[in-house]
Amino acid sequence: DAGITQSPRHKVTETGTPVTLRCHQTENHRYMYWYRQDPGHGLRLIHYSYGVKDTDKGEVSDGYSVSRSKTEDFLLTLESATSSQTSVYFCAISGSRGYTFGSGTRLTVV
Amino acid sequence: GENVEQHPSTLSVQEGDSAVIKCTYSDSASNYFPWYKQELGKGPQLIIDIRSNVGEKKDQRIAVTLNKTAKHFSLHITETQPEDSAVYFCAASKPDTGRRALTFGSGTRLQVQP
């Protein structure tokens, strides 16, 4: 999607390993979000950021941490991946036209 | 916190028919209600939204209605086409409290049969 990219697009990792997902925006938006998408649950908010070094928890933040050292980058880290964190992760930015989502990262924890 | 329920979870219609997806929300303070369309392998995309100061909004074949008293809102797609097949999500948010986060429904998979 224009202005927001996620990397990697796919990742398979082992239980107990750390994993970092990256979200990069070129829109200079203040607000950025990480959601996870699971069947039957829609999209659930993990963490969000309202500025550089300003972050806060969402509804499903356990086991996740985030960092935002630059306006354009918002990182999501799974400190020790578990099978319950197998999901599709979406980053989003909030602008005048609502949310714009990235294309997602499909993470599989084996 | 806010809770958004969405029905049905799957919907199959014939091409040319209308499709209606319904959502209810729990927090009467919510005032912004967007709808997103998600195609396979892609992120959700905003297709239409409505704020609580209006009851209906249209954009070509798509319309959204809002009933604040009953706390529900609906997406209406007329003259459906095969390219309308996708997963649709409703969402709600409250006035800017510094978070501006959306609470999403669980999604509706719409299948338009040619």
Side-chain angles (χ1 to χ4, degrees):
Chain A
D1 294 278
I4 181 169
T5 55
Q6 291 184 234
S7 59
R9 289 297 311 275
H10 303 272
K11 185 168 182 67
V12 179
T13 192
E14 293 186 350
T15 299
T17 60
V19 178
T20 296
L21 309 183
R22 181 177 183 247
C23 178
H24 179 80
Q25 62 145 332
T26 58
E27 307 292 322
N28 200 36
H29 285 305
R30 180 181 170 197
Y31 286 86
M32 299 184 75
Y33 307 85
W34 277 107
Y35 282 85
R36 61 177 288 174
Q37 184 175 30
D38 304 289
H41 291 279
L43 295 111
R44 293 180 291 173
L45 181 66
I46 305 171
H47 280 279
Y48 68 100
S49 170
Y50 47 97
V52 174
K53 297 186 179 179
D54 291 323
T55 65
D56 206 348
K57 297 178 180 180
E59 285 76 33
V60 292
S61 60
D62 287 348
Y64 301 95
S65 63
V66 290
S67 66
R68 191 164 179 204
S69 58
K70 298 184 290 185
T71 298
E72 56 266 36
D73 290 324
F74 192 31
L75 304 180
L76 177 70
T77 297
L78 290 65
E79 302 291 346
S80 177
T82 67
S83 58
S84 64
Q85 294 176 312
T86 292
S87 186
V88 181
Y89 292 86
F90 285 99
C91 177
I93 55 178
S94 177
S96 59
R97 290 174 292 174
Y99 274 29
T100 300
F101 283 88
S103 298
T105 295
R106 181 173 295 277
L107 177 68
T108 303
V109 183
V110 298
Chain B
E2 174 67 277
N3 182 50
V4 178
E5 294 192 356
Q6 183 172 346
H7 300 280
S9 56
T10 60
L11 179 60
S12 183
V13 300
Q14 292 294 124
E15 183 177 357
D17 287 351
S18 295
V20 180
I21 302 170
K22 298 182 179 183
C23 289
T24 61
Y25 60 99
S26 61
D27 193 334
S28 57
S30 291
N31 69 340
Y32 175 63
F33 308 94
W35 286 88
Y36 287 82
K37 176 183 181 182
Q38 185 179 27
E39 298 176 334
L40 198 61
K42 298 184 178 180
Q45 286 196 304
L46 178 69
I47 55 172
I48 194 167
D49 58 12
I50 192 168
R51 296 192 182 273
S52 59
N53 57 343
V54 298
E56 184 175 3
K57 183 176 179 180
K58 286 184 179 180
D59 183 3
Q60 299 182 348
R61 296 186 296 109
I62 293 173
V64 57
T65 58
L66 171 64
N67 184 326
K68 287 168 53 181
T69 303
K71 289 190 285 187
H72 66 70
F73 56 112
S74 300
L75 177 71
H76 305 253
I77 305 174
T78 58
E79 301 171 22
T80 54
Q81 302 166 3
E83 51 265 39
D84 293 329
S85 296
V87 178
Y88 291 81
F89 292 97
C90 62
S93 73
K94 293 190 279 189
D96 193 345
T97 58
R99 194 166 110 147
R100 302 169 100 187
L102 293 172
T103 300
F104 286 86
S106 55
T108 296
R109 183 174 299 279
L110 173 65
Q111 181 95 33
V112 179
Q113 308 286 351

